[in-house]
Amino acid sequence: MSSDHDALLADLRILADTVLDRVEALVEQVAAQDGASHTDAPSNDGAAEAGAPAQTAGGCTWCPLCAVAALVRGENHELITKLASQLAALIAIIRELVARFLPPPRTEPDTGPDGPLPPEPPDRGGFVPISVTIRP
């Protein structure tokens, strides 16, 4: 039973690492796109240089609908930038928790101290054939 739990935990760790790698790549892509938008866009507005919140093409900086529309159009939006930074921090926390509480994945699961382990017998699933006698 313990080996089943260990295998499940190793599989969960591999799954968590895979999901976190993909989400992290997406977050980095959005953050890089926002960073490129900040450096490429000329800033002639005096209010933006004075620290006022930057307005997007739609005019609002807090609306989730405008943020999704800006993300689809490939534009910069303040809400998406904040969300990307928070997701990056969340991914780092989840990676730390996975590293702390889940065992590292096994590199060679089919080898023992004396070589390869014999294959396990197939699980019959609890079915036991019984004989039934019907009396007239």
PDB file of all heavy atoms in Angstrom, residues 89-126:
ATOM      1  N   ALA A  89       4.442  35.110  -8.549  1.00  0.00           N
ATOM      2  CA  ALA A  89       4.702  34.880  -7.128  1.00  0.00           C
ATOM      3  C   ALA A  89       3.990  33.617  -6.641  1.00  0.00           C
ATOM      4  O   ALA A  89       4.560  32.827  -5.870  1.00  0.00           O
ATOM      5  CB  ALA A  89       4.241  36.088  -6.310  1.00  0.00           C
ATOM      6  N   LEU A  90       2.766  33.386  -7.106  1.00  0.00           N
ATOM      7  CA  LEU A  90       2.022  32.197  -6.717  1.00  0.00           C
ATOM      8  C   LEU A  90       2.700  30.931  -7.233  1.00  0.00           C
ATOM      9  O   LEU A  90       2.793  29.927  -6.516  1.00  0.00           O
ATOM     10  CB  LEU A  90       0.587  32.279  -7.248  1.00  0.00           C
ATOM     11  CG  LEU A  90      -0.323  31.111  -6.912  1.00  0.00           C
ATOM     12  CD1 LEU A  90      -0.546  31.028  -5.407  1.00  0.00           C
ATOM     13  CD2 LEU A  90      -1.641  31.238  -7.644  1.00  0.00           C
ATOM     14  N   ILE A  91       3.208  30.976  -8.440  1.00  0.00           N
ATOM     15  CA  ILE A  91       3.914  29.820  -9.001  1.00  0.00           C
ATOM     16  C   ILE A  91       5.164  29.513  -8.180  1.00  0.00           C
ATOM     17  O   ILE A  91       5.468  28.352  -7.897  1.00  0.00           O
ATOM     18  CB  ILE A  91       4.260  30.071 -10.477  1.00  0.00           C
ATOM     19  CG1 ILE A  91       2.984  30.023 -11.319  1.00  0.00           C
ATOM     20  CG2 ILE A  91       5.278  29.067 -10.987  1.00  0.00           C
ATOM     21  CD1 ILE A  91       3.176  30.471 -12.740  1.00  0.00           C
ATOM     22  N   ALA A  92       5.875  30.540  -7.758  1.00  0.00           N
ATOM     23  CA  ALA A  92       7.068  30.326  -6.932  1.00  0.00           C
ATOM     24  C   ALA A  92       6.700  29.677  -5.595  1.00  0.00           C
ATOM     25  O   ALA A  92       7.393  28.768  -5.125  1.00  0.00           O
ATOM     26  CB  ALA A  92       7.788  31.650  -6.705  1.00  0.00           C
ATOM     27  N   ILE A  93       5.594  30.102  -5.002  1.00  0.00           N
ATOM     28  CA  ILE A  93       5.151  29.519  -3.728  1.00  0.00           C
ATOM     29  C   ILE A  93       4.743  28.067  -3.916  1.00  0.00           C
ATOM     30  O   ILE A  93       5.100  27.202  -3.106  1.00  0.00           O
ATOM     31  CB  ILE A  93       3.994  30.353  -3.138  1.00  0.00           C
ATOM     32  CG1 ILE A  93       4.521  31.708  -2.670  1.00  0.00           C
ATOM     33  CG2 ILE A  93       3.307  29.623  -1.993  1.00  0.00           C
ATOM     34  CD1 ILE A  93       3.439  32.680  -2.270  1.00  0.00           C
ATOM     35  N   ILE A  94       4.002  27.786  -4.990  1.00  0.00           N
ATOM     36  CA  ILE A  94       3.566  26.404  -5.231  1.00  0.00           C
ATOM     37  C   ILE A  94       4.768  25.507  -5.487  1.00  0.00           C
ATOM     38  O   ILE A  94       4.825  24.378  -4.997  1.00  0.00           O
ATOM     39  CB  ILE A  94       2.558  26.352  -6.393  1.00  0.00           C
ATOM     40  CG1 ILE A  94       1.250  27.027  -5.963  1.00  0.00           C
ATOM     41  CG2 ILE A  94       2.296  24.920  -6.822  1.00  0.00           C
ATOM     42  CD1 ILE A  94       0.242  27.170  -7.076  1.00  0.00           C
ATOM     43  N   ARG A  95       5.749  26.000  -6.246  1.00  0.00           N
ATOM     44  CA  ARG A  95       6.966  25.201  -6.490  1.00  0.00           C
ATOM     45  C   ARG A  95       7.691  24.898  -5.174  1.00  0.00           C
ATOM     46  O   ARG A  95       8.197  23.795  -4.974  1.00  0.00           O
ATOM     47  CB  ARG A  95       7.907  25.923  -7.435  1.00  0.00           C
ATOM     48  CG  ARG A  95       7.484  25.826  -8.876  1.00  0.00           C
ATOM     49  CD  ARG A  95       8.608  26.297  -9.772  1.00  0.00           C
ATOM     50  NE  ARG A  95       8.193  26.338 -11.142  1.00  0.00           N
ATOM     51  CZ  ARG A  95       8.180  25.291 -11.960  1.00  0.00           C
ATOM     52  NH1 ARG A  95       8.549  24.128 -11.515  1.00  0.00           N
ATOM     53  NH2 ARG A  95       7.780  25.415 -13.201  1.00  0.00           N
ATOM     54  N   GLU A  96       7.741  25.869  -4.278  1.00  0.00           N
ATOM     55  CA  GLU A  96       8.396  25.654  -2.989  1.00  0.00           C
ATOM     56  C   GLU A  96       7.639  24.612  -2.162  1.00  0.00           C
ATOM     57  O   GLU A  96       8.254  23.739  -1.544  1.00  0.00           O
ATOM     58  CB  GLU A  96       8.480  26.970  -2.222  1.00  0.00           C
ATOM     59  CG  GLU A  96       9.194  26.846  -0.897  1.00  0.00           C
ATOM     60  CD  GLU A  96       9.279  28.171  -0.162  1.00  0.00           C
ATOM     61  OE1 GLU A  96       9.377  29.218  -0.821  1.00  0.00           O
ATOM     62  OE2 GLU A  96       9.253  28.143   1.077  1.00  0.00           O
ATOM     63  N   LEU A  97       6.301  24.684  -2.166  1.00  0.00           N
ATOM     64  CA  LEU A  97       5.506  23.709  -1.426  1.00  0.00           C
ATOM     65  C   LEU A  97       5.651  22.309  -2.016  1.00  0.00           C
ATOM     66  O   LEU A  97       5.752  21.327  -1.273  1.00  0.00           O
ATOM     67  CB  LEU A  97       4.028  24.119  -1.423  1.00  0.00           C
ATOM     68  CG  LEU A  97       3.681  25.335  -0.568  1.00  0.00           C
ATOM     69  CD1 LEU A  97       2.230  25.731  -0.770  1.00  0.00           C
ATOM     70  CD2 LEU A  97       3.956  25.056   0.886  1.00  0.00           C
ATOM     71  N   VAL A  98       5.663  22.216  -3.338  1.00  0.00           N
ATOM     72  CA  VAL A  98       5.845  20.912  -3.978  1.00  0.00           C
ATOM     73  C   VAL A  98       7.211  20.337  -3.624  1.00  0.00           C
ATOM     74  O   VAL A  98       7.339  19.153  -3.307  1.00  0.00           O
ATOM     75  CB  VAL A  98       5.658  21.032  -5.508  1.00  0.00           C
ATOM     76  CG1 VAL A  98       6.169  19.805  -6.228  1.00  0.00           C
ATOM     77  CG2 VAL A  98       4.193  21.267  -5.842  1.00  0.00           C
ATOM     78  N   ALA A  99       8.226  21.172  -3.655  1.00  0.00           N
ATOM     79  CA  ALA A  99       9.576  20.697  -3.334  1.00  0.00           C
ATOM     80  C   ALA A  99       9.686  20.270  -1.872  1.00  0.00           C
ATOM     81  O   ALA A  99      10.418  19.340  -1.542  1.00  0.00           O
ATOM     82  CB  ALA A  99      10.596  21.786  -3.637  1.00  0.00           C
ATOM     83  N   ARG A 100       8.944  20.933  -1.012  1.00  0.00           N
ATOM     84  CA  ARG A 100       9.044  20.632   0.413  1.00  0.00           C
ATOM     85  C   ARG A 100       8.245  19.391   0.804  1.00  0.00           C
ATOM     86  O   ARG A 100       8.702  18.576   1.603  1.00  0.00           O
ATOM     87  CB  ARG A 100       8.555  21.827   1.231  1.00  0.00           C
ATOM     88  CG  ARG A 100       8.674  21.601   2.741  1.00  0.00           C
ATOM     89  CD  ARG A 100       8.203  22.770   3.542  1.00  0.00           C
ATOM     90  NE  ARG A 100       9.073  23.911   3.286  1.00  0.00           N
ATOM     91  CZ  ARG A 100       8.799  25.144   3.688  1.00  0.00           C
ATOM     92  NH1 ARG A 100       7.689  25.379   4.345  1.00  0.00           N
ATOM     93  NH2 ARG A 100       9.617  26.126   3.432  1.00  0.00           N
ATOM     94  N   PHE A 101       7.022  19.224   0.255  1.00  0.00           N
ATOM     95  CA  PHE A 101       6.133  18.188   0.760  1.00  0.00           C
ATOM     96  C   PHE A 101       5.977  16.967  -0.140  1.00  0.00           C
ATOM     97  O   PHE A 101       5.515  15.934   0.315  1.00  0.00           O
ATOM     98  CB  PHE A 101       4.748  18.778   1.045  1.00  0.00           C
ATOM     99  CG  PHE A 101       4.767  19.765   2.175  1.00  0.00           C
ATOM    100  CD1 PHE A 101       4.561  21.107   1.934  1.00  0.00           C
ATOM    101  CD2 PHE A 101       5.011  19.354   3.471  1.00  0.00           C
ATOM    102  CE1 PHE A 101       4.595  22.020   2.965  1.00  0.00           C
ATOM    103  CE2 PHE A 101       5.040  20.258   4.508  1.00  0.00           C
ATOM    104  CZ  PHE A 101       4.833  21.598   4.261  1.00  0.00           C
ATOM    105  N   LEU A 102       6.336  17.051  -1.403  1.00  0.00           N
ATOM    106  CA  LEU A 102       6.241  15.878  -2.262  1.00  0.00           C
ATOM    107  C   LEU A 102       7.630  15.317  -2.504  1.00  0.00           C
ATOM    108  O   LEU A 102       8.582  16.072  -2.688  1.00  0.00           O
ATOM    109  CB  LEU A 102       5.590  16.236  -3.597  1.00  0.00           C
ATOM    110  CG  LEU A 102       4.095  16.551  -3.549  1.00  0.00           C
ATOM    111  CD1 LEU A 102       3.586  16.884  -4.936  1.00  0.00           C
ATOM    112  CD2 LEU A 102       3.301  15.405  -2.972  1.00  0.00           C
ATOM    113  N   PRO A 103       7.753  14.007  -2.505  1.00  0.00           N
ATOM    114  CA  PRO A 103       9.085  13.417  -2.723  1.00  0.00           C
ATOM    115  C   PRO A 103       9.549  13.681  -4.150  1.00  0.00           C
ATOM    116  O   PRO A 103       8.736  13.843  -5.058  1.00  0.00           O
ATOM    117  CB  PRO A 103       8.848  11.927  -2.484  1.00  0.00           C
ATOM    118  CG  PRO A 103       7.408  11.720  -2.763  1.00  0.00           C
ATOM    119  CD  PRO A 103       6.719  12.990  -2.362  1.00  0.00           C
ATOM    120  N   PRO A 104      10.852  13.717  -4.358  1.00  0.00           N
ATOM    121  CA  PRO A 104      11.355  13.918  -5.723  1.00  0.00           C
ATOM    122  C   PRO A 104      10.971  12.735  -6.603  1.00  0.00           C
ATOM    123  O   PRO A 104      10.860  11.613  -6.121  1.00  0.00           O
ATOM    124  CB  PRO A 104      12.864  14.025  -5.550  1.00  0.00           C
ATOM    125  CG  PRO A 104      13.154  13.427  -4.232  1.00  0.00           C
ATOM    126  CD  PRO A 104      11.924  13.578  -3.394  1.00  0.00           C
ATOM    127  N   PRO A 105      10.779  12.983  -7.889  1.00  0.00           N
ATOM    128  CA  PRO A 105      10.397  11.868  -8.760  1.00  0.00           C
ATOM    129  C   PRO A 105      11.529  10.859  -8.894  1.00  0.00           C
ATOM    130  O   PRO A 105      12.701  11.223  -8.888  1.00  0.00           O
ATOM    131  CB  PRO A 105      10.103  12.544 -10.100  1.00  0.00           C
ATOM    132  CG  PRO A 105      10.821  13.844 -10.051  1.00  0.00           C
ATOM    133  CD  PRO A 105      10.883  14.240  -8.612  1.00  0.00           C
ATOM    134  N   ARG A 106      11.153   9.613  -9.002  1.00  0.00           N
ATOM    135  CA  ARG A 106      12.140   8.549  -9.144  1.00  0.00           C
ATOM    136  C   ARG A 106      12.679   8.562 -10.562  1.00  0.00           C
ATOM    137  O   ARG A 106      11.932   8.727 -11.522  1.00  0.00           O
ATOM    138  CB  ARG A 106      11.504   7.194  -8.843  1.00  0.00           C
ATOM    139  CG  ARG A 106      11.057   7.079  -7.391  1.00  0.00           C
ATOM    140  CD  ARG A 106      10.450   5.743  -7.146  1.00  0.00           C
ATOM    141  NE  ARG A 106       9.182   5.672  -7.895  1.00  0.00           N
ATOM    142  CZ  ARG A 106       8.435   4.602  -7.970  1.00  0.00           C
ATOM    143  NH1 ARG A 106       8.814   3.495  -7.387  1.00  0.00           N
ATOM    144  NH2 ARG A 106       7.306   4.608  -8.644  1.00  0.00           N
ATOM    145  N   THR A 107      13.985   8.384 -10.688  1.00  0.00           N
ATOM    146  CA  THR A 107      14.580   8.389 -12.019  1.00  0.00           C
ATOM    147  C   THR A 107      14.539   7.008 -12.665  1.00  0.00           C
ATOM    148  O   THR A 107      14.382   6.891 -13.856  1.00  0.00           O
ATOM    149  CB  THR A 107      16.031   8.881 -11.963  1.00  0.00           C
ATOM    150  OG1 THR A 107      16.752   8.062 -11.038  1.00  0.00           O
ATOM    151  CG2 THR A 107      16.090  10.327 -11.509  1.00  0.00           C
ATOM    152  N   GLU A 108      14.690   5.951 -11.882  1.00  0.00           N
ATOM    153  CA  GLU A 108      14.673   4.587 -12.395  1.00  0.00           C
ATOM    154  C   GLU A 108      13.691   3.756 -11.565  1.00  0.00           C
ATOM    155  O   GLU A 108      14.076   3.086 -10.626  1.00  0.00           O
ATOM    156  CB  GLU A 108      16.059   3.972 -12.331  1.00  0.00           C
ATOM    157  CG  GLU A 108      17.088   4.699 -13.178  1.00  0.00           C
ATOM    158  CD  GLU A 108      18.463   4.090 -13.045  1.00  0.00           C
ATOM    159  OE1 GLU A 108      18.560   2.945 -12.558  1.00  0.00           O
ATOM    160  OE2 GLU A 108      19.423   4.753 -13.414  1.00  0.00           O
ATOM    161  N   PRO A 109      12.394   3.763 -11.928  1.00  0.00           N
ATOM    162  CA  PRO A 109      11.411   3.082 -11.083  1.00  0.00           C
ATOM    163  C   PRO A 109      11.448   1.564 -11.176  1.00  0.00           C
ATOM    164  O   PRO A 109      10.978   0.894 -10.289  1.00  0.00           O
ATOM    165  CB  PRO A 109      10.082   3.605 -11.614  1.00  0.00           C
ATOM    166  CG  PRO A 109      10.356   3.976 -13.027  1.00  0.00           C
ATOM    167  CD  PRO A 109      11.795   4.441 -13.052  1.00  0.00           C
ATOM    168  N   ASP A 110      12.013   0.978 -12.222  1.00  0.00           N
ATOM    169  CA  ASP A 110      11.944  -0.467 -12.398  1.00  0.00           C
ATOM    170  C   ASP A 110      13.206  -1.190 -11.974  1.00  0.00           C
ATOM    171  O   ASP A 110      13.417  -2.345 -12.345  1.00  0.00           O
ATOM    172  CB  ASP A 110      11.637  -0.799 -13.859  1.00  0.00           C
ATOM    173  CG  ASP A 110      10.255  -0.340 -14.264  1.00  0.00           C
ATOM    174  OD1 ASP A 110       9.407  -0.205 -13.360  1.00  0.00           O
ATOM    175  OD2 ASP A 110      10.022  -0.116 -15.463  1.00  0.00           O
ATOM    176  N   THR A 111      14.087  -0.566 -11.232  1.00  0.00           N
ATOM    177  CA  THR A 111      15.295  -1.249 -10.803  1.00  0.00           C
ATOM    178  C   THR A 111      15.353  -1.302  -9.293  1.00  0.00           C
ATOM    179  O   THR A 111      14.955  -0.387  -8.594  1.00  0.00           O
ATOM    180  CB  THR A 111      16.560  -0.560 -11.334  1.00  0.00           C
ATOM    181  OG1 THR A 111      16.589   0.779 -10.833  1.00  0.00           O
ATOM    182  CG2 THR A 111      16.583  -0.533 -12.844  1.00  0.00           C
ATOM    183  N   GLY A 112      15.843  -2.409  -8.799  1.00  0.00           N
ATOM    184  CA  GLY A 112      16.018  -2.585  -7.369  1.00  0.00           C
ATOM    185  C   GLY A 112      17.495  -2.673  -7.053  1.00  0.00           C
ATOM    186  O   GLY A 112      18.348  -2.454  -7.918  1.00  0.00           O
ATOM    187  N   PRO A 113      17.862  -3.050  -5.832  1.00  0.00           N
ATOM    188  CA  PRO A 113      19.274  -3.153  -5.486  1.00  0.00           C
ATOM    189  C   PRO A 113      19.981  -4.286  -6.240  1.00  0.00           C
ATOM    190  O   PRO A 113      21.177  -4.226  -6.479  1.00  0.00           O
ATOM    191  CB  PRO A 113      19.271  -3.410  -3.980  1.00  0.00           C
ATOM    192  CG  PRO A 113      17.896  -3.828  -3.642  1.00  0.00           C
ATOM    193  CD  PRO A 113      17.000  -3.299  -4.714  1.00  0.00           C
ATOM    194  N   ASP A 114      19.231  -5.324  -6.635  1.00  0.00           N
ATOM    195  CA  ASP A 114      19.837  -6.461  -7.333  1.00  0.00           C
ATOM    196  C   ASP A 114      19.534  -6.465  -8.829  1.00  0.00           C
ATOM    197  O   ASP A 114      19.788  -7.449  -9.505  1.00  0.00           O
ATOM    198  CB  ASP A 114      19.341  -7.777  -6.724  1.00  0.00           C
ATOM    199  CG  ASP A 114      19.774  -7.905  -5.276  1.00  0.00           C
ATOM    200  OD1 ASP A 114      20.841  -7.350  -4.933  1.00  0.00           O
ATOM    201  OD2 ASP A 114      19.049  -8.537  -4.500  1.00  0.00           O
ATOM    202  N   GLY A 115      18.987  -5.422  -9.354  1.00  0.00           N
ATOM    203  CA  GLY A 115      18.648  -5.372 -10.782  1.00  0.00           C
ATOM    204  C   GLY A 115      17.168  -5.089 -10.968  1.00  0.00           C
ATOM    205  O   GLY A 115      16.487  -4.623 -10.059  1.00  0.00           O
ATOM    206  N   PRO A 116      16.671  -5.397 -12.153  1.00  0.00           N
ATOM    207  CA  PRO A 116      15.259  -5.121 -12.420  1.00  0.00           C
ATOM    208  C   PRO A 116      14.338  -5.947 -11.540  1.00  0.00           C
ATOM    209  O   PRO A 116      14.610  -7.101 -11.232  1.00  0.00           O
ATOM    210  CB  PRO A 116      15.076  -5.492 -13.884  1.00  0.00           C
ATOM    211  CG  PRO A 116      16.429  -5.748 -14.438  1.00  0.00           C
ATOM    212  CD  PRO A 116      17.377  -5.901 -13.309  1.00  0.00           C
ATOM    213  N   LEU A 117      13.253  -5.345 -11.135  1.00  0.00           N
ATOM    214  CA  LEU A 117      12.262  -6.023 -10.317  1.00  0.00           C
ATOM    215  C   LEU A 117      11.395  -6.902 -11.205  1.00  0.00           C
ATOM    216  O   LEU A 117      11.137  -6.569 -12.357  1.00  0.00           O
ATOM    217  CB  LEU A 117      11.391  -5.008  -9.587  1.00  0.00           C
ATOM    218  CG  LEU A 117      12.111  -4.096  -8.598  1.00  0.00           C
ATOM    219  CD1 LEU A 117      11.149  -3.050  -8.067  1.00  0.00           C
ATOM    220  CD2 LEU A 117      12.662  -4.909  -7.449  1.00  0.00           C
ATOM    221  N   PRO A 118      10.916  -8.039 -10.690  1.00  0.00           N
ATOM    222  CA  PRO A 118      10.027  -8.878 -11.488  1.00  0.00           C
ATOM    223  C   PRO A 118       8.691  -8.162 -11.684  1.00  0.00           C
ATOM    224  O   PRO A 118       8.280  -7.348 -10.847  1.00  0.00           O
ATOM    225  CB  PRO A 118       9.863 -10.142 -10.634  1.00  0.00           C
ATOM    226  CG  PRO A 118      10.174  -9.708  -9.256  1.00  0.00           C
ATOM    227  CD  PRO A 118      11.173  -8.597  -9.381  1.00  0.00           C
ATOM    228  N   PRO A 119       7.991  -8.437 -12.781  1.00  0.00           N
ATOM    229  CA  PRO A 119       6.705  -7.781 -13.000  1.00  0.00           C
ATOM    230  C   PRO A 119       5.695  -8.215 -11.952  1.00  0.00           C
ATOM    231  O   PRO A 119       5.698  -9.364 -11.503  1.00  0.00           O
ATOM    232  CB  PRO A 119       6.297  -8.223 -14.402  1.00  0.00           C
ATOM    233  CG  PRO A 119       7.070  -9.481 -14.650  1.00  0.00           C
ATOM    234  CD  PRO A 119       8.334  -9.347 -13.859  1.00  0.00           C
ATOM    235  N   GLU A 120       4.836  -7.286 -11.578  1.00  0.00           N
ATOM    236  CA  GLU A 120       3.821  -7.591 -10.575  1.00  0.00           C
ATOM    237  C   GLU A 120       2.713  -8.412 -11.216  1.00  0.00           C
ATOM    238  O   GLU A 120       2.402  -8.228 -12.401  1.00  0.00           O
ATOM    239  CB  GLU A 120       3.248  -6.292 -10.008  1.00  0.00           C
ATOM    240  CG  GLU A 120       4.242  -5.494  -9.222  1.00  0.00           C
ATOM    241  CD  GLU A 120       3.599  -4.261  -8.612  1.00  0.00           C
ATOM    242  OE1 GLU A 120       2.367  -4.212  -8.507  1.00  0.00           O
ATOM    243  OE2 GLU A 120       4.349  -3.353  -8.244  1.00  0.00           O
ATOM    244  N   PRO A 121       2.114  -9.324 -10.448  1.00  0.00           N
ATOM    245  CA  PRO A 121       1.012 -10.101 -11.006  1.00  0.00           C
ATOM    246  C   PRO A 121      -0.172  -9.171 -11.287  1.00  0.00           C
ATOM    247  O   PRO A 121      -0.372  -8.178 -10.586  1.00  0.00           O
ATOM    248  CB  PRO A 121       0.685 -11.116  -9.909  1.00  0.00           C
ATOM    249  CG  PRO A 121       1.226 -10.530  -8.665  1.00  0.00           C
ATOM    250  CD  PRO A 121       2.386  -9.672  -9.062  1.00  0.00           C
ATOM    251  N   PRO A 122      -0.950  -9.494 -12.314  1.00  0.00           N
ATOM    252  CA  PRO A 122      -2.083  -8.620 -12.622  1.00  0.00           C
ATOM    253  C   PRO A 122      -3.110  -8.656 -11.503  1.00  0.00           C
ATOM    254  O   PRO A 122      -3.352  -9.693 -10.878  1.00  0.00           O
ATOM    255  CB  PRO A 122      -2.645  -9.196 -13.927  1.00  0.00           C
ATOM    256  CG  PRO A 122      -2.143 -10.602 -13.981  1.00  0.00           C
ATOM    257  CD  PRO A 122      -0.848 -10.607 -13.229  1.00  0.00           C
ATOM    258  N   ASP A 123      -3.713  -7.530 -11.266  1.00  0.00           N
ATOM    259  CA  ASP A 123      -4.729  -7.407 -10.219  1.00  0.00           C
ATOM    260  C   ASP A 123      -6.049  -7.941 -10.771  1.00  0.00           C
ATOM    261  O   ASP A 123      -6.506  -7.514 -11.833  1.00  0.00           O
ATOM    262  CB  ASP A 123      -4.863  -5.948  -9.793  1.00  0.00           C
ATOM    263  CG  ASP A 123      -5.787  -5.789  -8.604  1.00  0.00           C
ATOM    264  OD1 ASP A 123      -6.006  -6.784  -7.883  1.00  0.00           O
ATOM    265  OD2 ASP A 123      -6.295  -4.663  -8.406  1.00  0.00           O
ATOM    266  N   ARG A 124      -6.646  -8.858 -10.057  1.00  0.00           N
ATOM    267  CA  ARG A 124      -7.892  -9.439 -10.534  1.00  0.00           C
ATOM    268  C   ARG A 124      -9.082  -8.564 -10.157  1.00  0.00           C
ATOM    269  O   ARG A 124     -10.196  -8.860 -10.543  1.00  0.00           O
ATOM    270  CB  ARG A 124      -8.073 -10.846  -9.990  1.00  0.00           C
ATOM    271  CG  ARG A 124      -6.989 -11.774 -10.466  1.00  0.00           C
ATOM    272  CD  ARG A 124      -7.300 -13.194 -10.064  1.00  0.00           C
ATOM    273  NE  ARG A 124      -7.019 -14.075 -11.174  1.00  0.00           N
ATOM    274  CZ  ARG A 124      -7.920 -14.592 -11.983  1.00  0.00           C
ATOM    275  NH1 ARG A 124      -9.178 -14.335 -11.802  1.00  0.00           N
ATOM    276  NH2 ARG A 124      -7.576 -15.394 -12.950  1.00  0.00           N
ATOM    277  N   GLY A 125      -8.915  -7.519  -9.406  1.00  0.00           N
ATOM    278  CA  GLY A 125      -9.987  -6.587  -9.105  1.00  0.00           C
ATOM    279  C   GLY A 125     -11.010  -7.090  -8.105  1.00  0.00           C
ATOM    280  O   GLY A 125     -12.123  -6.596  -8.055  1.00  0.00           O
ATOM    281  N   GLY A 126     -10.701  -8.100  -7.337  1.00  0.00           N
ATOM    282  CA  GLY A 126     -11.613  -8.552  -6.306  1.00  0.00           C
ATOM    283  C   GLY A 126     -12.619  -9.587  -6.783  1.00  0.00           C
ATOM    284  O   GLY A 126     -13.459 -10.038  -6.022  1.00  0.00           O
TER     285      GLY A 126
END
